[in-house]
Amino acid sequence: MDPFHAKLVAAATGSTMTALTMTPFDVVKTRLQTQPKEPLISRPPLNKCCQPAHIPCVRNMSSYARPLAAEEVVCIFDHGVYRTERVNGFLDAVRHVWRAEGMRGLWKGAGTTLLIGVPSSSMYMLTYDHLLRNVLPPLISSPTLIPMVAGITARASLTSLLSPLELIRTNLQSTPISPDKPHTLPSVLASVRTIVQKQGITFLWRGLGPTLWRDVPFSGIYWAGYEAWKRFFESRGQKGAYVAFACGSISGTTASLITSPFDVLKTRRQALLMTGTMSSRTTATIPLLAHIVRTEGTAALFAGVLPRTVKIAPACGIMIACFEGVGKFLEQKDRD
């Protein structure tokens, strides 16, 4: 198999494996990032709902992630124990999703993830590889700067192109306002179509700003780190798929922690735009950042950081290990 087709198969294999295995972490991360802030309330009477009188008390567990502007959180005192439909951390979120929606809930949006992930990741890896090996070396001399520029260029281009699909996937994975109106692909597409008719086709690229703020630095940090770690291990005589996995995981973890606030902004903005509960001014990147810090504190900018990092570390490792390992295997097999 010629090198291009070998890399194409390797990239498709890695992105498919990543999408199928990592979707639950993406669902949990999205749920954690889209639930509203915990209200500052006085202790209500025993077993009474803390909602305002005009808002019904909903106890279905799949209703805990609601639009920020509504600030609707269900909370009761049950025999002296404060209970809430908010989730507190990664394992609590997994338990809530499993109990409310079953195992299928943890793979919500997997089909769309495959639709987006396989072609986009394959295109991304091939674009990065071409820039790294053919386009940039004659233009840039720094071994650190070349992978950084290649990663940033490839990611910015594909993120801009596929932003509408990312908006649909984010809303599929966020929890619906009420359990009787679940987020399904037809319902989300119908909502998108209605909003586009009202606001124009540019609505599909709302949230692109925070997405670029997240993906462009992530790609630059990730690829610069990956190539540096790869050179480090190769200088000690270690190479192969397992080394690629380790380098990808380490670099992915670092990039994930640094860019986590931008991931929160991107998720919040795309979810809020679909609900129509906040003005476009409030959902712009800087005003939304200020709104979250003012009303929820700085810690809210790192909501979902654990499931995101738990997902990204192995995902980056799997993707790059498949690209390096499967690609070289196919090329070698063809030569043999």
Side-chain angles (χ1 to χ4, degrees):
M1 188 176 290
D2 66 84
F4 174 79
H5 288 103
K7 290 176 181 178
L8 180 61
V9 172
T13 302
S15 57
T16 301
M17 290 181 61
T18 301
L20 291 176
T21 56
M22 298 296 125
T23 293
F25 298 101
D26 215 26
V27 171
V28 170
K29 178 210 68 156
T30 301
R31 299 295 175 87
L32 286 169
Q33 290 178 347
T34 55
Q35 68 175 346
K37 64 183 175 61
E38 194 157 5
L40 300 175
I41 60 170
S42 59
R43 182 186 178 100
L46 183 65
N47 293 336
K48 295 294 183 181
C49 182
C50 67
Q51 299 282 61
H54 66 285
I55 298 177
C57 184
V58 182
R59 291 183 173 83
N60 186 287
M61 298 310 294
S62 66
S63 67
Y64 63 82
R66 291 173 174 265
L68 278 178
E71 297 183 0
E72 298 173 354
V73 178
V74 176
C75 50
I76 58 173
F77 277 92
D78 181 11
H79 299 89
V81 179
Y82 181 78
R83 302 186 186 281
T84 175
E85 286 200 14
R86 285 182 59 85
V87 292
N88 302 295
F90 174 63
L91 294 178
D92 193 32
V94 171
R95 186 174 65 253
H96 276 67
V97 174
W98 185 286
R99 182 164 58 181
E101 303 171 52
M103 191 185 339
R104 291 180 61 184
L106 290 171
W107 269 267
K108 202 170 189 178
T112 309
T113 301
L114 285 171
L115 177 66
I116 300 170
V118 174
S120 67
S121 295
S122 301
M123 291 165 60
Y124 172 56
M125 293 298 296
L126 292 173
T127 302
Y128 168 78
D129 188 71
H130 180 69
L131 291 171
L132 178 73
R133 301 182 186 282
N134 302 314
V135 177
L136 295 178
L139 304 176
I140 303 174
S141 59
S142 170
T144 301
L145 202 56
I146 290 175
M148 181 180 293
V149 174
I152 287 174
T153 304
R155 177 55 67 191
S157 302
L158 289 172
T159 297
S160 301
L161 180 65
L162 299 174
S163 183
L165 290 177
E166 179 65 18
L167 182 140
I168 292 171
R169 184 177 71 91
T170 297
N171 283 277
L172 268 174
Q173 293 181 338
S174 63
T175 303
I177 294 176
S178 62
D180 59 329
K181 295 181 179 179
H183 280 173
T184 62
L185 183 57
S187 69
V188 170
L189 290 176
S191 299
V192 170
R193 184 165 54 250
T194 300
I195 298 175
V196 168
Q197 288 173 351
K198 293 179 179 179
Q199 301 189 24
I201 194 69
T202 55
F203 169 81
L204 295 174
W205 278 265
R206 296 282 181 89
L208 177 59
T211 305
L212 289 174
W213 274 104
R214 177 196 68 178
D215 288 354
V216 169
F218 181 94
S219 293
I221 295 168
Y222 171 75
W223 286 114
Y226 171 77
E227 297 294 346
W229 280 109
K230 185 179 176 182
R231 288 194 300 272
F232 171 80
F233 282 110
E234 287 180 345
S235 67
R236 285 158 176 75
Q238 297 177 318
K239 58 177 63 178
Y242 74 95
V243 172
F245 181 90
C247 294
S249 298
I250 295 170
S251 301
T253 299
T254 304
S256 173
L257 293 173
I258 293 173
T259 61
S260 183
F262 300 114
D263 185 58
V264 172
L265 290 173
K266 169 259 175 191
T267 303
R268 289 284 187 90
R269 188 179 188 201
Q270 290 185 329
L272 287 170
L273 285 166
M274 287 295 291
T275 64
T277 55
M278 298 186 75
S279 67
S280 58
R281 178 182 178 277
T282 310
T283 55
T285 303
I286 301 303
L288 180 57
L289 172 66
H291 174 80
I292 292 174
V293 172
R294 184 176 65 254
T295 59
E296 303 174 57
T298 305
L301 294 174
F302 293 88
V305 66
L306 178 59
R308 181 173 185 247
T309 303
V310 169
K311 169 201 168 184
I312 283 179
C316 288
I318 291 170
M319 185 69 207
I320 195 64
C322 285
F323 187 72
E324 298 263 359
V326 175
K328 289 181 179 178
F329 171 77
L330 292 175
E331 290 184 41
Q332 182 65 38
K333 187 177 180 179
D334 183 63
R335 284 195 293 267
D336 295 341

